[in-house]
Amino acid sequence: MSSYPLSRRSFLALSAMLPWTWQARASASIPVGLELYSVRNELKRDPEATVRAVGQMGYQCVEFYAPYFERTDAQTKDMRKLLDGLGVRCYSTHNELNYLNRENLPRTRDLNLTLGSKYVVVASAQPKPGLDGWRELADTLNAAAEQLEPAGLKVGYHNHQPEFTPVEGKRPLEILAGRTKPSVLLQLDVGTCLAAGSDPVAWILANPGRIHSIHCKDWSPEPGKGYTVLFGEGAADWKGIFAAAESVGGVEYYLVEQEGSRFPELETAQRCLKTFRSLHS
């Protein structure tokens, strides 16, 4: 497995934490789950059987993505019953930005409460051009957070490459981090962070207590590979990421995510979980 070297600044910061801080937290107690986009074709074919298979693999939580919004209240209650029977939690969902508008927010709230979610995460957004568009997005996240807080729910935002790609000399994710309420989750997608040329460890260290969940998606710079490599086969320094996330980032749960691989979806998920357990020990 190849990995990007840590920047000198990140290395020194991590060195200051280790070894006792890293060992102090019982890392095994932090659940590992699956972003269900990883098994999207199976999920579309048979949602209940797919979630059951994921739970039986040993995943401790799942993250539903946008189609969950289309399910009926009865279907959502049945899914929660299935999760409870498996001993699997749903800590967060991935949402389109319009799920947080005035018309949709009540339904988003109710579905997430039924599933037992804690975080309503915006999966992606296409704000107006320039940094002002990102500032406006931050204000939208803050407004939704205020409306969901009475129900015990928090808002989050998930990055892709554009958030780490400088606009007017500044990375948009820095705008979101600086302008949103501290309670807004900054869900880190490791693969897209790497693909944009940024350092995941440095980002975690720069935003203590904001990285409550991480998408454990790998990425390779080798031609033709990109996001198709399995977890642990790409450029990510997972040991360094785990150390930063658990000592500074405030991580509460990990989520394996795979956009596609050389194996079928469920086999891919199982292989990634096995590697995760071997690296996160």
Side-chain angles (χ1 to χ4, degrees), residues 184-206:
V184 173
L185 157 72
L186 301 176
Q187 187 182 66
L188 173 62
D189 184 305
V190 171
T192 56
C193 175
L194 288 171
S198 287
D199 178 352
V201 172
W203 178 251
I204 295 169
L205 298 179

Side-chain angles (χ1 to χ4, degrees), residues 22 25-35 59-63 89 91-92 187-188 190 204 211-217 231 238-247 249-257 273 276 280-281:
W22 171 233
R25 288 195 63 178
S27 60
S29 68
I30 299 175
V32 55
L34 184 70
E35 160 53 60
Y59 281 103
Q60 298 159 287
C61 56
V62 294
E63 184 175 69
R89 294 290 306 277
Y91 294 110
S92 56
Q187 187 182 66
L188 173 62
V190 171
I204 295 169
I211 319 295
H212 299 297
S213 70
I214 290 179
H215 271 207
C216 297
K217 178 169 67 184
F231 173 85
W238 291 110
K239 290 288 188 180
I241 291 167
F242 294 150
E246 296 179 26
S247 59
V251 69
E252 298 173 16
Y253 57 103
Y254 292 107
L255 292 163
V256 168
E257 183 185 28
L273 179 59
F276 179 94
H280 185 255
S281 60

Side-chain angles (χ1 to χ4, degrees), residues 138 141-143 145-146 149 176-185 210:
L141 296 174
N142 284 334
E146 291 177 1
E149 281 173 2
L176 294 182
R179 196 175 177 93
T180 51
K181 297 157 60 79
S183 62
V184 173
L185 157 72
R210 300 287 303 271

Side-chain angles (χ1 to χ4, degrees), residues 61-182:
C61 56
V62 294
E63 184 175 69
F64 290 94
Y65 69 108
Y68 88 93
F69 192 81
E70 301 166 6
R71 291 171 66 85
T72 66
D73 292 344
Q75 288 174 323
T76 304
K77 289 177 181 177
D78 287 343
M79 181 60 74
R80 174 63 185 274
K81 186 181 296 186
L82 174 60
L83 292 173
D84 289 345
L86 292 167
V88 173
R89 294 290 306 277
C90 171
Y91 294 110
S92 56
T93 58
H94 260 204
N95 300 267
E96 296 180 5
L97 184 60
N98 65 8
Y99 292 4
L100 300 185
N101 65 24
R102 181 179 299 179
E103 179 184 357
N104 292 326
L105 191 63
R107 176 163 175 76
T108 301
R109 176 199 62 210
D110 293 345
L111 289 174
N112 276 269
L113 289 175
T114 298
L115 289 170
S117 299
K118 180 178 179 181
Y119 295 104
V120 178
V121 181
V122 174
S124 65
Q126 294 181 320
K128 297 175 183 176
L131 291 181
D132 282 344
W134 293 98
R135 295 185 183 103
E136 183 177 313
L137 174 59
D139 294 342
T140 298
L141 296 174
N142 284 334
E146 291 177 1
Q147 294 178 69
L148 289 175
E149 281 173 2
L153 293 168
K154 297 182 180 181
V155 166
Y157 188 83
H158 172 86
N159 70 269
H160 288 86
Q161 284 181 250
E163 287 81 359
F164 278 109
T165 303
V167 174
E168 300 171 17
K170 196 173 185 69
R171 295 180 299 178
L173 200 53
E174 295 176 54
I175 298 294
L176 294 182
R179 196 175 177 93
T180 51
K181 297 157 60 79

Side-chain angles (χ1 to χ4, degrees), residues 10-32:
S10 296
F11 174 79
L12 292 174
L14 269 178
S15 297
M17 302 172 198
L18 303 175
W20 74 269
T21 307
W22 171 233
Q23 295 171 346
R25 288 195 63 178
S27 60
S29 68
I30 299 175
V32 55

